[in-house]
Amino acid sequence: MIKRLWALLGKSSKKPSNPKVFEKVPEHVAIIMDGNGRWAKTRGLPRTAGHHSGMKAVKRITMAADKLGIKYLTLYAFSTENWTRPKDEVDFLMKLPQQFIEIELDELIANNVQVRMMGHKEKLPAHTISPLEEAIVKTANNTGLVLNFALNYGSRKEMLEAVKDIASDVSRGELAIDEIDEKLMASRLHTSGMPDPDLLIRTSGELRLSNFMMWQLAYSELWFTDVYWPAFTEEHFHEAIHEYQRRVRRYGGL
Ligand code: FPP
């Protein structure tokens, strides 16, 4: 909180590359990190090289978000649909969380970052989930940026599971139908306890949601860029934040 206030006053000890970004900072930014494969292809590299560079961009943008005083950063790292990719590519993607944690955990802890994860844990191999769970435990008491990885995440599955959960409470007589409202539904989603994203960024020129946070993004500002995720820099991130700062959010009002 203090850090955020300092940030809003432009007095953070971490010097921003552009001080204007400290006005009206979004609390929660969600990113669809797209274009790893195309980034690699344009360089004559295998797709996995794109994912590896994408992991470096994760670090870069996490630090950039932290410097701005953003409270939540949710990153779409693997969707429920990504299992249909070639096995080699899926295997490579499944190793990235462990690599990332091994390389970055100390620095994340030093920066007071909390690691979290949302998605469907079943199907994720132990070498993917265990290091993440360990990092989640080790950073649980940190109070800075929440770095939330969406892994094996799909919004439709998330909503279906929430509905089944609610229906089973009703059928057991523990919940009345009249008690079902938006707040209750939100509390049964993987983002329970987190605010909805203020800003969604999607890289690589694609203009769709791809089954990402479809409940939570109802009133988010959307920002798209042609830049491929591995090439996405702190400056591009600031561009998105500036654009967000210029938007007027009306939530259906006037
Ligand atoms: C989409 O690009 C990207 C993914 C499916 C994977 C995203 C993963 C990372 C950026 C690294 C995650 C890092 C950690 C630490 C979990 P694409 O492969 O669909 O690109 P394309 O559309 O150009 O083919």
Side-chain angles (χ1 to χ4, degrees), residues 33-38 47 51 54-55 58 77 82 85 89 93 96-97 100 149 229:
M33 309 180 290
D34 198 7
N36 293 352
R38 279 165 286 164
R47 292 178 55 81
H51 295 314
M55 182 176 76
V58 166
N82 287 151
R85 295 187 175 208
E89 183 169 341
L93 285 167
L96 289 183
F100 180 80
F149 287 107
W229 175 250

Side-chain angles (χ1 to χ4, degrees), residues 26-31 70 72-74 197-201 237 241:
E27 187 179 16
H28 185 174
V29 177
I31 307 185
I70 287 166
Y72 299 89
L73 179 67
T74 296
D198 300 293
L199 171 67
L200 171 79
I201 295 173
F237 190 58
I241 304 296

Side-chain angles (χ1 to χ4, degrees), residues 3 14 44 62 109 114 128 130 148 150 173 213 233 247:
K3 191 177 135 203
K14 295 172 188 175
T62 299
I109 290 173
Q114 287 176 64
T128 308
S130 305
N148 183 34
M213 301 183 89
T233 62
R247 304 260 179 104

Side-chain angles (χ1 to χ4, degrees), residues 168-189:
S168 100
D169 282 2
V170 172
S171 73
R172 282 200 306 271
E174 288 170 11
L175 190 69
I177 288 185
D178 286 349
E179 290 176 291
I180 303 172
D181 58 11
E182 290 186 12
K183 199 168 157 221
L184 180 87
M185 178 70 180
S187 76
R188 304 292 173 110
L189 298 176

Side-chain angles (χ1 to χ4, degrees), residues 35-51 228 230:
N36 293 352
R38 279 165 286 164
W39 179 90
K41 196 173 172 199
T42 57
R43 285 159 179 79
L45 298 168
R47 292 178 55 81
T48 48
H51 295 314
Y228 295 143

Side-chain angles (χ1 to χ4, degrees), residues 38-99:
R38 279 165 286 164
W39 179 90
K41 196 173 172 199
T42 57
R43 285 159 179 79
L45 298 168
R47 292 178 55 81
T48 48
H51 295 314
H52 188 260
S53 281
M55 182 176 76
K56 292 187 182 163
V58 166
K59 163 72 181 312
R60 203 158 58 231
I61 300 309
T62 299
M63 291 308 158
D66 183 43
K67 273 199 266 177
L68 294 183
I70 287 166
K71 184 63 194 152
Y72 299 89
L73 179 67
T74 296
L75 303 176
Y76 205 8
F78 194 89
S79 75
T80 44
E81 290 71 37
N82 287 151
W83 296 105
T84 58
R85 295 187 175 208
K87 186 177 178 308
D88 284 0
E89 183 169 341
V90 170
D91 288 348
F92 188 89
L93 285 167
M94 286 297 134
K95 285 182 191 144
L96 289 183
Q98 181 178 28
Q99 272 185 43

